[in-house]
């Protein structure tokens, strides 16, 4: 009876938590949907639904004059134009609202179908949470956001294919839906071979026949437009933006960006497209026969993206569906592929990779590379693999007892003994720093407020006897060797030392790496709050105070933009000083972890030299360094409160090969 009651209570608690989690996720999805809809509808006419507004006449009434392709702005098929022509009598305002809400419903429909199409076996938790997560990811993705703003129809073929593969019954109904999608977006016809080679031959024939019939209908109704699309523009290849622009994420666009043109480019494009079709469709058929039809649909869509003459951003939703595949035998590697795809589909390439010339070919073709990788290279696990449901588990350690009973506050934040996936870690660090840079640059606050806060800092330092910045700045300028040294130190070690420490910890002390990384992340996030709430002019930008900017040279204080430096970084993100904060983090980590006394002392020199450099170069006030120390202390404190002590209790025999000196071994219990 006791066990039965305990089981019932545990089940009720689990159901309550699941219900709360599901409600929270649906709330997030609803907020994202409302935000996206409002962002479009708030835009004035002329700045929203820009592709749809190619139909707008002088009096705000939609109409069509001449050929659909006279201006090269309409990029759809003639059948798409035939379907849209009845809208010619609608008013722009009502059409814009209806179009936006219609797009929203299409996205929700895709999310619901995808949630039902997940390859089994699927746990009850995954099944309940899949729909709101799928809708949220769709709302955040670049193709959906692009479709909302442009008023494009590219979401419709995706939904038609998904409905044809997962929702309707009967091969003929499935074929009709997929053929209709192909009439709107011709590369969807690649799903016909997938249907054929997976035994659904009637559906394949019906889809091809439907595509041919609808295209013929459009040709009969609009022969001139059909000739312009299929012959003059080679199936739409010459429509819209320039085919060599970054917006065209297809093999054809990439080859043009690499400088290839003419017959050589066409021959190479056809050869590569044939290879991608061969490998991609074979893999799609194999995964469909394995019971992963959603993954097979995603791979076929990725093939269509790659081989299409033009694959604009609003047509790349297929790549996001590839997140359904499972990659990696270890549980710690399982999140790499989903995170890669989600970041690639939600963030611009410049946020994923640094601005280095050698990386530009990758950065400019991130979405194409993701599509090609999914279609031809990524080793997705088959359902027959023993690792499909049960990957190699991750080894966790128990935090050592803390002084307070509520620590750790998040007991599910378990400390991992093994190293995290390196590629995933580098990607998260890069994206995190990009987000930090964007927020830091946006938190300007204005010149007047920043200078007023500067005067407040001066008053506080005078009251505390800390106003030494002017004396130190001029003393260093008069000693040229000191000026050169501090300029070099200020510009050279801000990023190098923290990254070097993280690299050493990753290789030698993986458990401590996670502790140190989390504390640094918390400190950086708290610093962003300071930049937002308290914009502060550094000494070098305070007018009339005779500070000398030794690093950047003289600044035109009469110009609020302060020249080119404003384009590089936010000039008023001085409080707290992360130059000092990150250096202090380095010193404290070395002090705690380094085994030798000389190493600890050497580590403490870095924050000492840094605080001297930021004051001597007139880039920070003394109190800025105090603010940097405060956020670093708060970062370590949050890590302690949420995850527990740095020391871990590790049972004997569970310590991985990498050194984990912070672990406290648990003695064996005598029998």
């Amino acid at each position: 009876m006791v066990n039965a009651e305990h089981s019932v209570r545990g089940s009720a608690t689990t159901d309550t938590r699941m219900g709360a989690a599901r409600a929270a996720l649906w709330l997030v999805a609803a907020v994202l949907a409302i935000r996206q809809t409002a962002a479009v509808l708030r835009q004035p006419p002329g700045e929203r639904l820009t592709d749809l507004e190619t139909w707008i006449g002088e009096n705000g009434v939609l109409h069509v004059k001449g050929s659909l392709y006279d201006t090269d702005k309409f990029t759809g098929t003639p059948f798409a134009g035939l379907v849209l022509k009845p809208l010619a009598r609608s008013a722009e305002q009502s059409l814009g609202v209806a179009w936006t809400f219609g797009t929203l419903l299409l996205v929700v429909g895709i999310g619901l179908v995808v949630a039902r199409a997940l390859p089994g076996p699927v746990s009850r938790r995954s099944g309940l949470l899949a729909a709101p997560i799928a809708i949220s990811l769709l709302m955040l993705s670049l193709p959906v956001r692009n479709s909302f703003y442009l008023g494009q129809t590219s979401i419709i073929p995706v939904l038609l294919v998904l409905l044809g593969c997962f929702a309707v019954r009967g091969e003929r109904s499935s074929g009709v839906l997929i053929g209709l999608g192909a009439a709107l977006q011709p590369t969807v016809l690649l799903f016909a071979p997938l249907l054929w080679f997976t035994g659904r031959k009637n559906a394949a024939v019906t889809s091809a026949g439907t595509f041919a019939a609808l295209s013929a209908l459009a040709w009969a109704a609009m022969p001139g437009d059909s000739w312009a699309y299929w012959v003059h523009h080679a199936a739409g290849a010459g429509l819209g933006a320039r085919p060599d622009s970054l917006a065209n994420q297809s093999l054809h666009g990439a080859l043009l960006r690499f400088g290839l043109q003419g017959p050589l480019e066409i021959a190479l494009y056809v050869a590569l497209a044939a290879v991608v079709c061969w490998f991609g469709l074979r893999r799609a058929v194999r995964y469909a026969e394995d019971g992963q039809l959603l993954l097979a649909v995603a791979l076929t869509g990725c093939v269509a993206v790659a081989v299409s003459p033009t694959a604009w951003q609003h047509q790349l939703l297929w790549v996001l569906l590839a997140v359904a595949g499972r990659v990696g035998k270890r549980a710690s590697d399982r999140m790499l592929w989903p995170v890669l795809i989600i970041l690639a589909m939600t963030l611009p390439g410049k946020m994923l990779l640094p601005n280095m010339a050698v990386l530009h070919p990758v950065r400019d073709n991130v979405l194409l590379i993701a599509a090609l990788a999914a279609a031809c290279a990524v080793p997705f696990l088959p359902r027959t693999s023993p690792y499909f449901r049960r990957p190699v588990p991750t080894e966790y350690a128990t935090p050592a007892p803390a002084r307070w009973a509520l620590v750790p506050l998040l007991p599910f934040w378990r400390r991992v003994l093994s190293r995290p996936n390196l590629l995933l870690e580098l990607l998260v660090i890069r994206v995190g720093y990009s987000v930090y840079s964007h927020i830091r640059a946006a938190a300007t606050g204005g010149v007047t407020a920043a200078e007023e806060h500067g005067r407040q800092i001066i008053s506080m330092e005078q009251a505390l006897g800390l106003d030494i910045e002017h004396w130190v700045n001029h003393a260093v300028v008069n000693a040229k060797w000191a000026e050169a040294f501090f300029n070099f130190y200020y510009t050279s070690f801000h990023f190098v030392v923290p990254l070097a420490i993280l690299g050493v910890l990753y290789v030698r002390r993986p458990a401590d790496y996670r502790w140190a990384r989390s504390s640094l992340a918390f400190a950086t996030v708290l610093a962003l709050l300071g930049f937002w709430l308290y914009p502060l002019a550094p000494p070098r930008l305070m007018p009339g105070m005779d500070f000398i900017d030794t690093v950047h040279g003289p600044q035109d204080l009469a110009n609020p933009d302060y020249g080119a430096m404003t384009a590089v970084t936010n000039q008023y993100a001085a409080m707290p000083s992360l130059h000092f904060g990150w250096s202090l983090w380095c010193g404290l980590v070395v002090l705690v972890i380094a085994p030798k006394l000389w190493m600890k002392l050497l580590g403490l020199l870095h924050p000492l030299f840094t605080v001297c450099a930021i004051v001597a170069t007139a880039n920070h006030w003394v109190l800025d360094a105090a603010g940097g120390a405060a956020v670093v202390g708060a970062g370590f404190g949050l890590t302690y409160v949420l995850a527990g002590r740095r020391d871990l209790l590790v049972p004997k025999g569970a310590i991985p090969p990498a050194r984990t000196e912070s672990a406290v071994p648990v003695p064996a219990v005598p029998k």
Side-chain angles (χ1 to χ4, degrees):
M1 287 292 293
V2 173
N3 291 337
E5 290 178 2
H6 179 74
S7 177
V8 170
R9 290 175 183 174
S11 177
T13 302
T14 302
D15 290 343
T16 302
R17 292 177 178 176
M18 283 293 298
R22 191 182 186 191
L25 289 173
W26 275 113
L27 178 61
V28 171
V31 169
L32 291 174
I34 294 172
R35 178 184 178 277
Q36 184 64 67
T37 304
V40 175
L41 296 180
R42 279 202 306 263
Q43 297 294 325
E47 297 182 17
R48 68 180 182 194
L49 307 175
T50 53
D51 284 5
L52 188 66
E53 287 188 350
T54 58
W55 303 73
I56 297 175
E58 296 178 356
N59 298 321
V61 177
L62 303 185
H63 68 288
V64 180
K65 288 184 178 179
S67 172
L68 295 172
Y69 307 108
D70 282 345
T71 62
D72 288 345
K73 291 183 178 180
F74 182 77
T75 59
T77 63
F79 176 74
L82 183 64
V83 173
L84 290 173
K85 272 194 172 183
L87 299 175
R89 297 179 181 178
S90 303
E92 186 275 336
Q93 183 68 26
S94 61
L95 176 64
V97 174
W99 194 279
T100 302
F101 280 100
T103 304
L104 176 61
L105 293 177
L106 292 174
V107 173
V108 172
I110 291 176
L112 294 176
V113 176
V114 166
R116 293 183 57 187
L118 290 176
V122 177
S123 66
R124 178 171 174 268
R125 176 182 299 179
S126 300
L128 290 174
L129 304 182
I133 291 176
I135 294 172
S136 298
L137 292 179
L138 288 168
M139 288 296 174
L140 292 172
S141 67
L142 294 172
V144 168
R145 282 151 46 195
N146 199 261
S147 296
F148 266 102
Y149 279 102
L150 297 180
Q152 278 289 348
T153 61
S154 53
I155 295 178
I156 298 176
V158 178
L159 181 58
L160 290 173
V161 170
L162 291 174
L163 290 175
C165 291
F166 300 105
V168 300
R169 295 182 179 181
E171 292 191 17
R172 294 193 181 278
S173 299
S174 175
V176 168
L177 289 176
I178 294 175
L180 178 58
L184 297 172
Q185 189 174 320
T187 50
V188 170
L189 200 59
L190 283 172
F191 283 91
L194 175 66
L195 296 172
W196 181 276
F197 289 112
T198 54
R200 305 176 68 181
K201 295 184 179 180
N202 287 336
V205 173
T206 304
S207 64
T210 302
F211 165 75
L214 295 177
S215 299
L217 175 64
W219 196 295
M222 300 182 296
D225 288 336
S226 297
W227 176 270
Y229 181 86
W230 292 108
V231 179
H232 181 66
H233 290 292
L239 297 174
R242 291 177 42 145
D244 61 345
S245 68
L246 295 180
N248 181 15
Q249 289 291 304
S250 70
L251 284 170
H252 179 52
L255 292 176
L256 292 176
R257 286 192 290 274
F258 286 136
L260 298 175
Q261 292 182 350
L264 175 61
E265 187 273 330
I266 295 175
L268 185 57
Y269 161 62
V270 171
L272 290 175
V275 172
V276 171
C277 285
W278 172 261
F279 282 101
L281 292 178
R282 286 191 65 183
R283 279 163 50 88
V285 170
R286 185 165 69 248
Y287 286 113
E289 293 174 343
D290 182 59
Q292 301 187 66
L293 184 56
L294 179 59
L295 178 58
V297 168
L299 299 189
T300 306
C302 289
V303 172
V305 166
V307 305
S308 176
T310 53
W312 308 119
Q313 191 176 83
H314 54 82
Q315 298 172 328
L316 303 181
L317 195 56
W318 303 107
V319 183
L320 182 60
L321 300 183
V323 77
R326 301 186 186 184
V327 184
K329 297 180 180 180
R330 299 188 306 166
S332 57
D333 298 332
R334 188 57 63 85
M335 290 302 298
L336 174 61
W337 175 249
V339 170
L340 281 172
I341 289 296
I342 291 171
L343 291 179
M345 295 301 295
T346 55
L347 299 177
K350 62 183 180 181
M351 292 186 67
L352 301 176
L353 295 168
N355 187 22
M356 300 170 59
V358 68
L359 295 177
H360 284 177
V362 178
R363 188 189 68 179
D364 295 342
N365 300 284
V366 166
L367 297 176
L368 173 61
I369 293 172
L372 290 174
C376 302
V378 177
F380 297 107
L381 291 174
R383 294 174 65 211
T384 54
S385 170
Y387 304 106
F388 186 82
R389 287 194 66 185
R390 295 183 177 87
V392 177
T394 302
E395 288 187 289
Y396 296 97
T398 304
R403 180 175 301 176
W404 294 286
L406 294 178
V407 174
L409 192 60
L410 301 179
F412 59 84
W413 187 347
R414 296 180 290 175
R415 296 281 294 278
V416 182
L417 295 175
S418 60
R419 297 183 186 90
N421 184 283
L422 180 59
L423 181 58
L424 179 60
E425 201 70 11
L426 292 175
L427 185 63
V428 170
I429 290 175
R430 167 60 193 172
V431 171
Y433 179 72
S434 297
V435 173
Y436 157 77
S437 300
H438 279 74
I439 296 177
R440 187 179 192 271
T444 52
V447 178
T448 303
E451 292 179 352
E452 176 60 29
H453 292 159
R455 287 186 283 271
Q456 292 176 5
I457 292 293
I458 294 172
S459 299
M460 285 187 284
E461 289 190 349
Q462 289 175 344
L464 297 171
L466 299 176
D467 55 328
I468 61 173
E469 293 88 357
H470 190 275
W471 174 80
V472 172
N473 177 235
H474 282 259
V476 167
V477 169
N478 293 328
K480 295 303 179 183
W481 65 268
E483 180 183 357
F485 172 76
F486 286 123
N487 285 350
F488 172 76
Y489 206 92
Y490 180 85
T491 57
S492 301
F493 295 101
H494 182 43
F495 298 106
V496 173
V497 177
L499 290 177
I501 290 176
L502 287 174
V504 171
L505 293 178
Y506 179 87
V507 174
R508 301 296 301 275
R509 311 283 287 273
D512 285 332
Y513 165 81
R514 295 173 185 272
W515 162 78
R517 176 204 57 188
S518 299
S519 60
L520 181 62
F522 282 133
T524 304
V525 171
L526 292 173
L528 288 176
L529 294 177
F531 301 154
W532 273 106
L533 301 176
Y534 198 78
L536 174 64
R540 62 186 176 85
L541 296 183
M542 289 296 291
M545 293 192 176
D546 194 29
F547 282 100
I548 301 173
D549 188 346
T550 64
V551 176
H552 309 106
Q555 300 291 313
D556 181 11
L557 300 186
N559 179 7
D561 292 335
Y562 300 122
M565 280 303 300
T566 303
V568 178
T569 185
N570 176 12
Q571 301 295 285
Y572 304 128
M575 171 63 79
S577 168
L578 278 186
H579 245 89
F580 176 71
W582 287 2
S583 68
L584 179 62
W585 172 88
C586 295
L588 293 176
V589 169
V590 173
L591 179 66
V592 170
I593 293 177
K596 306 288 186 181
L597 178 60
W598 66 268
M599 295 179 182
K600 300 177 185 291
L601 296 177
L602 185 63
L604 292 177
L605 287 178
H606 180 49
L608 176 62
F609 286 152
T610 301
V611 72
C612 294
I614 63 175
V615 174
T617 59
N619 276 280
H620 283 285
W621 309 96
V622 172
L623 287 181
D624 294 346
V631 296
V632 168
F636 282 114
L638 277 173
T639 305
Y640 171 79
V641 170
L642 297 178
R645 289 175 52 186
R646 183 183 67 89
D647 294 332
L648 303 173
L649 295 178
V650 184
K652 287 186 176 180
I655 299 179
R659 295 177 63 189
T660 313
E661 295 181 4
S662 63
V664 179
V666 178
V669 179
K671 296 182 180 179

